[in-house]
Every structure is written in C-alpha cells, then in structure tokens.
Amino acid sequence: MTALALNTDVGEGFGVWGPADEGELLDQVTAANVACGFHAGDPDILRRTCEASTARGVAIGAQVSYRDLAGFGRRFIDVPPATLVNELLYQMGALEVFARLAGGRVGYVKAHGALYNAAARHTGHAAAIVEAVALYDRALPLLCQPRTAVWERAVEAGVRPLAEGFIDRGYTDEGLLVPRSAPGALITDPAEAAERALRMAESGTVVSVSGSVVRIAPDGGELAALCVHSDTPGAAGLAAAVREALASGGVAVGPPGAVADRVGVRP
C-alpha cells in the first residue's frame, strides 16, 4: 500500500442549519464529499464548501443522494432508475459550477447514505449510479465497496471504481456497514479509529462487530480510500489520529484521482 485518499462528508447543512466552519476537519483530509443539495446543502453552502476545499488543496467530490432533505438521504426511495440517473446528473452539474468558480472541479463521485447502501444490492440503482458517472465523465473515480452490485456494474461499464473503507463505522460479516440503529455502528475513539485505519491500509481487512476478520479490499487488490463521517462525534480528532497513524505506517495520502492512477481498477 503506497497511497490512500482520506475523505469526509462536508457541506451537510441547509440554510441556518449545519456547521458554519468545517476547516478543522478539511485540514486533515485529502478529499471532500460535498453534499449536492438533495440530502443536504444549498447554493451558499456549496459555494462556501468548494472554496474552503480548494483553498486547502482538497479534492472536491460529488456526494450524490436520493431526493430526501427531510430524511437526510438516509431513507430508501424507490425512484425509477431512469429518473435517478437524471437526478444524479443534476447534482453533479450543480456542484461543478461552484467547484469551477473556486478554481477546482468535480474530481470523483460517491453516493450518500441510503443510496450508497442500497447500491450494494439493488441492481437498478447501482446501474443508475454507474450510468450517471459514465454520462458525466467516464474518467471520474467512483468510490464504493468491492463485491457489490455497484462495483460490478462499474467494472463492466469501464468506470473506475475505487475501493473504500469506513474508519468510523462497524462492519457486518459480509463486509457491509452495520445499520446506524444497531449496536456497534459507530467508532468514536481516536485510538481505535487509527488502529482500524492502519489495518485496512496494510491488509485490506477489518474486524466485524461479531469479531470476525473480514476482507473489505478487492480480491487481489487494495483499498484506495478511507472515510470518516463529519457528523461522527469528534470527527476532526478521528481524522487527525488516522492521518498520524497512516504516516507512521508509511502510508501516503492523496486525492482520489491520483490514487486511482496508482492502483488502477481491480475487480
């Protein structure tokens, strides 16, 4: 393992709600998953978040979601796949305007919340995500989990999937995320997060909530990205501990685009 993208979800407010300054967290990461307005975010927040990210040299990613402001994108929406494709394109385009005004561009794509989890098994919504990325810019990396429907569709379509691990979330024995309502869903201790991150980087494995060692890297490949959620308590401290642990283990961090060029696509 030579490099990883360290990403976080940002811009997740609306109007007067949400964090006014995410600078402390952005100082620790290499990639910002910016809410594009469907689960959170509004034009002012999108522009402010893009400016804060580019000022720090942090890559801007489109964090696309179901149209679900009231549920923060954490509810499954049975939207027709063709409509979902258009909704995802709409979100990417909105973010691109503000990214370019800030001197950057949308550098990768990642689904949010319920859409991310649903796309692991829901073939229609997995295909919609991949189709939207391919239509927008086939060269953009797509952050997702290996051995899922969205990963398989991305490989088939020639889109570049980057395997992602979650530092602050519990895992099932199947290598998927534990529902947030279940015990063990969140990891908030910086030392534990740092240990998990280094293990993920070095071996591509994690210990599940049942105590099993589970491989979350692609078969024959490596993890390319690690995520810490901005709404996890103490997120900035977690990210700082992870960054320090990775550095001590000789693991470099960089933007998803650069990491994609190094690790390639490994289904």
Side-chain angles (χ1 to χ4, degrees):
M1 171 59 62
T2 57
L4 282 166
L6 183 58
N7 70 89
T8 190
D9 304 344
V10 288
E12 292 185 321
F14 193 81
V16 299
W17 291 276
D21 183 3
E22 296 179 300
E24 184 180 2
L25 182 55
L26 286 171
D27 285 339
Q28 300 298 331
V29 300
T30 63
N33 316 318
V34 182
C36 297
F38 273 30
H39 76 279
D42 59 35
D44 288 342
I45 293 174
L46 265 68
R47 186 165 188 176
R48 182 171 70 237
T49 305
C50 287
E51 290 172 349
S53 299
T54 56
R56 293 169 169 81
V58 174
I60 295 171
Q63 184 157 50
V64 294
S65 171
Y66 291 127
R67 186 189 293 269
D68 183 28
L69 274 175
F72 196 60
R74 289 181 176 162
R75 303 180 295 189
F76 173 76
I77 307 294
D78 193 15
V79 57
T83 298
L84 182 58
V85 170
N86 290 332
E87 292 187 341
L88 301 181
L89 289 168
Y90 183 97
Q91 294 174 74
M92 294 178 208
L95 182 63
E96 186 74 65
V97 170
F98 295 113
R100 289 186 180 275
L101 285 173
R105 62 153 297 179
V106 171
Y108 65 96
V109 178
K110 176 180 173 178
H112 167 80
L115 179 58
Y116 189 104
N117 293 326
R121 295 192 174 100
H122 193 297
T123 56
H125 288 187
I129 293 171
V130 172
E131 182 179 348
V133 174
L135 287 171
Y136 190 81
D137 183 349
R138 186 178 296 275
L140 289 180
L142 172 63
L143 271 58
C144 57
Q145 293 173 287
R147 294 176 295 278
T148 58
V150 67
W151 178 277
E152 292 168 359
R153 291 300 179 99
V155 173
E156 292 169 0
V159 170
R160 300 198 295 174
L162 289 186
E164 180 176 36
F166 290 82
I167 300 159
D168 56 350
R169 292 296 311 280
Y171 277 84
T172 68
D173 290 347
E174 293 73 38
L176 299 176
L177 299 183
V178 173
R180 286 180 174 269
S181 59
L186 285 182
I187 286 79
T188 58
D189 177 64
E192 182 181 359
E195 182 181 352
R196 282 164 55 92
L198 196 54
R199 177 176 189 143
M200 290 178 185
E202 293 178 341
S203 70
T205 65
V206 68
V207 178
S208 74
V209 290
S210 72
S212 299
V213 176
V214 179
R215 182 167 178 80
I216 58 173
D219 297 331
E222 303 172 341
L223 283 177
L226 297 178
C227 176
V228 58
H229 291 87
S230 62
D231 59 352
T232 296
L238 290 180
V242 166
R243 187 94 182 239
E244 182 177 352
L246 293 176
S248 68
V251 181
V253 293
V259 173
D261 290 340
R262 293 181 184 179
V263 303
V265 176
R266 293 174 179 164

